[in-house]
Amino acid sequence: MPREIPPLREVRRITQKKRDAWWTVLLVDPLATPLVRLTARWTRITPNQITWGALLLGLVSAAFFAMGDWRWLIAGAVLYHLSFVLDCMDGKVARLTGQGSVFGAWLDYIFDRIRVMACAVALMAGQYHRTGELIYVWLAVVVVFLDGLRYINSLEIFKTRHTMRKQIKTRMRAARRAENEAGIAFMEDLLRANPEADIEQDLRTAAQDARDEDAAEPQRTAGSTALAEAAAVSGTGTDAATAGEPGAEDEPRRKAQVVDLHQEFRSRFPIYLRFRSFMLRHRIRTHLVSGIEFQMAVFIVGPLIDQVVGATIAAGALLLVFELAIIYKLLLSTRDFGRTLDSFEEAEQQRAESLSAVA
């Protein structure tokens, strides 16, 4: 008996990420999402089984790459793309059927790294055997290194951002308990959830309010229209401890305080807001050359046009440029984080002085 699966439009909403690599959005999701619906409806295939299938196809692709001839390169490139389609399907099936697991996420990550390493070694070994040029040996090392660097760097940046958010939320909860202040929301979450919002107008309003209050104030609090209201509706940043209190439903929901940990970056690159908003409306993240695009350039574009060296060098250079941009953005974000904590301490000192004066 077939499963009860929602229509395709609803499957897209459930399974597709709010933002993803442009290669995935444009060249994978249109094929993967209908296949996910058919798979979930008519089969009992699990996400982990799909992950295994993606690995096996990737290894067959590596075997084709090792042949060296351009005909085998084309076959390997096609198989690699199909392997990546399966790699995207496992998570979508997990989200659609509720079969996701921590082990499945680990398996997917490890198999991805194995596939990349196997294909990199096989592709460059095949070209070295065909041409005898030593550059292919070095390119194999470079591909494996850059792939590892990208995913290690992304993990560490995620952990750093999570730590900063956690500390700010802790400080804000303490402040709310002391003064019953409004909630807190992060600008990145509001931008991601509301790409249609008039972001620039909100930031200009927040910046003007901050300048009117105190020209030296390091942190801007944006009680903005579309973004803050979206945060209030979605509950972003609300204190879980007060959610179940009696009478809480009767009180009007207050606008959340928006903490922008990318304030300095936005002020230095104002056009980034427009670009990011445009990309988000199309579900494409601004990190245009990530690990996914790098892999596709090396294992699909290069073999298809028989320009493995050129495609690998160009993709590697672009990957490094975008990684450096992310690191620079993180650096500026840590400065905003420090200024935000300083503003909390100043507010606490002012409260203490006020209490002392009253006493």
Side-chain angles (χ1 to χ4, degrees):
M1 292 291 295
R3 284 190 180 128
E4 289 294 331
I5 300 297
L8 184 58
R9 175 176 293 184
E10 182 68 8
V11 171
R12 289 194 183 100
R13 186 191 65 80
I14 296 172
T15 63
Q16 293 179 355
K17 298 177 182 177
K18 287 187 176 180
R19 59 175 183 168
D20 210 335
W22 64 264
W23 185 282
T24 303
V25 172
L26 301 177
L27 300 176
V28 176
D29 281 351
L31 173 63
T33 306
L35 289 177
V36 165
R37 185 175 185 274
L38 291 174
T39 300
R41 178 174 174 81
W42 295 103
T43 75
R44 292 295 182 266
I45 297 176
T46 67
N48 287 350
Q49 290 172 337
I50 297 176
T51 304
W52 275 99
L55 174 66
L56 293 177
L57 270 184
L59 294 179
V60 174
S61 173
F64 287 173
F65 285 147
M67 300 296 182
D69 185 76
W70 70 271
R71 296 179 183 84
W72 290 109
L73 291 183
I74 293 174
V78 172
L79 272 186
Y80 193 89
H81 183 69
L82 294 177
S83 171
F84 185 68
V85 170
L86 286 182
D87 184 41
C88 293
M89 286 177 60
D90 55 7
K92 296 180 189 298
V93 170
R95 288 189 288 274
L96 183 61
T97 61
Q99 294 178 304
S101 66
V102 175
F103 178 77
W106 173 86
L107 191 72
D108 181 55
Y109 178 82
I110 295 300
F111 280 6
D112 284 350
R113 306 284 71 75
I114 293 174
R115 180 181 59 192
V116 170
M117 287 190 289
C119 287
V121 172
L123 176 62
M124 302 309 170
Q127 296 307 297
Y128 174 75
H129 183 266
R130 188 183 75 168
T131 64
E133 297 180 6
L134 193 61
I135 188 174
Y136 290 105
V137 177
W138 290 107
L139 285 179
V141 176
V142 167
V143 170
V144 174
F145 170 77
L146 289 179
D147 179 75
L149 174 66
R150 162 59 190 151
Y151 285 94
I152 291 174
N153 186 43
S154 64
L155 177 61
E156 291 303 313
I157 288 177
F158 172 81
K159 288 166 60 178
T160 302
R161 288 175 174 170
H162 177 74
T163 300
M164 292 191 294
R165 285 173 169 234
K166 186 176 181 180
Q167 290 188 34
I168 290 176
K169 287 181 177 180
T170 300
R171 298 293 291 271
M172 287 301 299
R173 289 190 183 110
R176 287 204 304 276
R177 284 194 294 268
E179 294 188 356
N180 194 25
E181 292 178 347
I184 180 174
F186 288 95
M187 182 65 73
E188 287 297 296
D189 293 336
L190 302 182
L191 294 178
R192 185 179 301 115
N194 300 274
E196 301 289 347
D198 189 358
I199 300 165
E200 291 187 344
Q201 180 62 38
D202 289 335
L203 291 180
R204 285 196 296 271
T205 302
Q208 184 62 46
D209 291 343
R211 283 196 294 270
D212 292 342
E213 291 176 4
D214 186 355
E217 181 68 26
Q219 176 197 0
R220 296 185 177 90
T221 300
S224 59
T225 54
L227 296 181
E229 287 171 5
V233 171
S234 63
T236 303
T238 55
D239 193 345
T242 63
E245 291 182 359
E249 296 180 356
D250 299 332
E251 297 180 2
R253 192 182 294 272
R254 285 167 293 194
K255 294 178 181 178
Q257 180 179 352
V258 178
V259 175
D260 188 2
L261 291 181
H262 297 291
Q263 175 180 300
E264 186 173 350
F265 181 83
R266 299 180 205 282
S267 66
R268 294 192 180 195
F269 306 97
I271 196 174
Y272 172 77
L273 282 173
R274 292 183 181 275
F275 175 67
R276 188 182 193 277
S277 180
F278 172 80
M279 299 299 282
L280 280 178
R281 284 195 292 269
H282 296 83
R283 295 199 308 113
I284 298 175
R285 60 191 181 195
T286 54
H287 192 183
L288 295 179
V289 181
S290 63
I292 291 174
E293 288 83 7
F294 174 68
Q295 292 177 35
M296 302 309 136
V298 174
F299 301 126
I300 297 180
V301 176
L304 284 178
I305 64 176
D306 198 17
Q307 293 293 329
V308 174
V309 174
T312 301
I313 293 176
L318 289 173
L319 178 67
L320 286 177
V321 168
F322 276 89
E323 290 303 302
L324 290 174
I326 289 178
I327 294 171
Y328 177 68
K329 186 178 179 182
L330 178 66
L331 172 63
L332 298 184
S333 181
T334 58
R335 294 177 182 175
D336 287 325
F337 171 70
R339 286 191 286 267
T340 301
L341 293 186
D342 290 342
S343 71
F344 291 159
E345 293 181 1
E346 290 176 5
E348 290 174 1
Q349 291 176 359
Q350 291 175 1
R351 277 199 304 272
E353 292 173 359
S354 299
L355 292 174
S356 298
V358 171

